[in-house]
Amino acid sequence: MVSKSFQFSLQNVLDYRRQLVDNARLELAVAQRSYQAQVEKVEEMRDKLSEAAGRLESRNLPTPQEFWLWSTYQERLLQDVQREENRLQHFANRVATCRGELIQRSRDAKVLERLRNKKVLEFHAQEKNSEQKDLDEMAILRYQHKSI
């Protein structure tokens, strides 16, 4: 007796959902890299700001022109830091969105995987029952043959 192999009717959908999960993982990785790069950029700008403040403090009574130049530079750096922090928040939101999308896509794929596993178990149980039925029929036929 040749047993047939299991064919999941929704295999194409499951493969597609797995592909969506993989794509979501890639998107999350890209978003996390962008976020990390932005974190480093903001930290670098804050370091520049503190370095500039340290240089001004190390000087004895700066001239009004130097003080004006430094305060203009500091103001510009603060604006740049604020802009980059806003971008950092945007990247953080993107990471959260990608993570949520990955979770949802993973759930969708897991539902189909559980269904597939359930169908595989049902298939094997049905195959086992069918095989047992065939064996029982053969045993009955043999027994009947001997009694004749």
Side-chain angles (χ1 to χ4, degrees), residues 12-94:
N12 290 338
V13 176
L14 178 58
D15 292 342
Y16 177 70
R17 296 245 174 115
R18 286 176 178 164
Q19 184 179 11
L20 289 177
V21 169
D22 291 342
N23 290 345
R25 278 191 186 114
L26 290 174
E27 287 178 32
L28 177 60
V30 167
Q32 286 174 329
R33 280 194 298 273
S34 298
Y35 175 79
Q36 192 57 42
Q38 190 65 24
V39 164
E40 291 170 6
K41 187 174 186 180
V42 167
E43 287 175 358
E44 183 179 303
M45 293 180 86
R46 286 182 183 153
D47 289 345
K48 278 185 184 179
L49 186 61
S50 63
E51 181 183 316
R55 279 187 292 191
L56 181 69
E57 289 175 6
S58 69
R59 296 183 52 111
N60 295 334
L61 296 175
T63 65
Q65 294 85 7
E66 288 175 332
F67 184 76
W68 177 84
L69 198 63
W70 182 85
S71 64
T72 304
Y73 176 70
Q74 179 189 23
E75 186 178 312
R76 178 61 187 194
L77 273 178
L78 286 172
Q79 289 172 357
D80 289 347
V81 166
Q82 184 63 40
R83 185 185 69 242
E84 295 303 323
E85 285 176 344
N86 289 340
R87 288 188 70 207
L88 181 64
Q89 185 60 45
H90 168 76
F91 285 127
N93 292 340
R94 178 73 181 138

Side-chain angles (χ1 to χ4, degrees), residues 5 7 49 106 147:
S5 64
Q7 294 293 322
L49 186 61
S106 294
S147 64

